[in-house]
Amino acid sequence: MKSILSIYLIGIFSFFVWGCANEGAMTSQMSPYSLTIIKPEQDRIRFQGKGAGAGMMMMGSMGAMGIAIGVAIDEGISKDIQTSAEKEQVYIPDIVEQSLKRTLERIQGEVIQERFHSPLTLQLKIIRYGFKSAPGDQKDPVSIELQAEIISEDGAVFPLNYPFQGETVMTEELEEIKENGKLIGSIWEQSLSQLFTTKQTEFIEYLSGIQPNT
């Protein structure tokens, strides 16, 4: 009888310990933030560069028609880059989202878990993304172009733009970008890593200024 009772008590104790451990694991896996992505109305790769310059040059002799031709040149380049990205299943808003998530996970112990008792609610609003002509030694160098905002629940805004002042931008040759979808993904990942690393201190200050939900 005693042995049966002992087995019964051991079983209850084991179940209790397992339950506590499981609950702890579930708690540790809960995300300390909630992130919503707002995509641009024109959800496609944009390009700004050669056409704009050509349009300005032609405006003197052709007027508005010169500007229209310049816009058409850049639109054609945009489509070439978009096609290459799609062939390799490269979707830039996903790359931006994953970059931001990695940054939040890296700094969450410094700010988020210490100040916020419920998940921090953020929006990532992507306004425009693509490529633009950039200075450099390469033939027709281009850099990524990102216009975005991180918006907190209390309305505070953190601008997320590339290129940005104070840093040398990463560039690749335009023709390579037009033809190589994997390169498109690679330069976006590297450029965003540069952006978030450089802006990390400012981003932590921004998060620290958000008013926690009560």
Side-chain angles (χ1 to χ4, degrees):
M1 184 70 180
K2 288 184 178 179
S3 61
I4 295 175
L5 181 60
S6 298
I7 293 171
Y8 178 72
L9 291 173
I10 290 171
I12 292 175
F13 177 75
S14 299
F15 181 78
F16 175 76
V17 171
W18 178 85
C20 290
N22 230 25
E23 184 180 357
M26 290 175 63
T27 302
S28 65
Q29 290 171 7
M30 287 180 63
S31 176
Y33 62 87
S34 170
L35 183 62
T36 302
I37 312 301
I38 302 174
K39 297 174 183 177
E41 291 184 8
Q42 296 190 44
D43 189 10
R44 61 183 177 84
I45 291 172
R46 312 287 293 279
F47 180 75
Q48 180 182 348
K50 300 178 74 173
M56 292 298 292
M57 290 176 63
M58 291 185 288
M59 184 175 66
S61 58
M62 302 179 65
M65 180 62 72
I67 296 294
I69 292 172
V71 170
I73 292 172
D74 282 352
E75 279 297 309
I77 294 172
S78 298
K79 290 178 180 178
D80 289 341
I81 299 173
Q82 180 75 33
T83 299
S84 293
E86 289 174 354
K87 284 180 180 178
E88 296 296 338
Q89 297 183 328
V90 172
Y91 183 51
I92 291 172
D94 283 348
I95 297 175
V96 180
E97 177 184 356
Q98 292 305 314
S99 271
L100 176 55
K101 284 182 175 179
R102 283 194 294 270
T103 301
L104 288 167
E105 288 163 6
R106 186 170 65 245
I107 66 176
Q108 66 183 12
E110 297 181 47
V111 180
I112 299 175
Q113 291 178 337
E114 293 178 1
R115 298 193 70 242
F116 299 93
H117 302 295
S118 59
L120 170 62
T121 301
L122 295 172
Q123 289 183 337
L124 171 61
K125 181 180 180 181
I126 301 175
I127 301 166
R128 176 188 171 103
Y129 64 88
F131 289 87
K132 66 183 300 183
S133 293
D137 297 329
Q138 298 152 306
K139 181 180 178 182
D140 292 332
V142 295
S143 72
I144 74 164
E145 181 186 21
L146 175 65
Q147 296 175 22
E149 296 174 338
I150 299 170
I151 307 169
S152 68
E153 197 169 13
D154 65 358
V157 176
F158 184 83
L160 199 63
N161 299 317
Y162 196 104
F164 57 102
Q165 291 184 340
E167 289 292 321
T168 302
V169 299
M170 296 184 176
T171 60
E172 291 287 351
E173 291 186 7
L174 175 58
E175 287 302 314
E176 291 290 324
I177 290 295
K178 287 168 62 177
E179 298 174 2
N180 189 336
K182 290 182 179 179
L183 184 60
I184 293 170
S186 175
I187 190 174
W188 265 90
E189 289 173 356
Q190 292 177 47
S191 298
L192 290 175
S193 176
Q194 177 196 29
L195 174 61
F196 280 114
T197 299
T198 304
K199 297 290 185 179
Q200 180 166 306
T201 300
E202 293 177 38
F203 190 40
I204 290 174
E205 291 175 357
Y206 161 76
L207 293 174
S208 299
I210 296 173
Q211 295 302 313
N213 292 329
T214 55

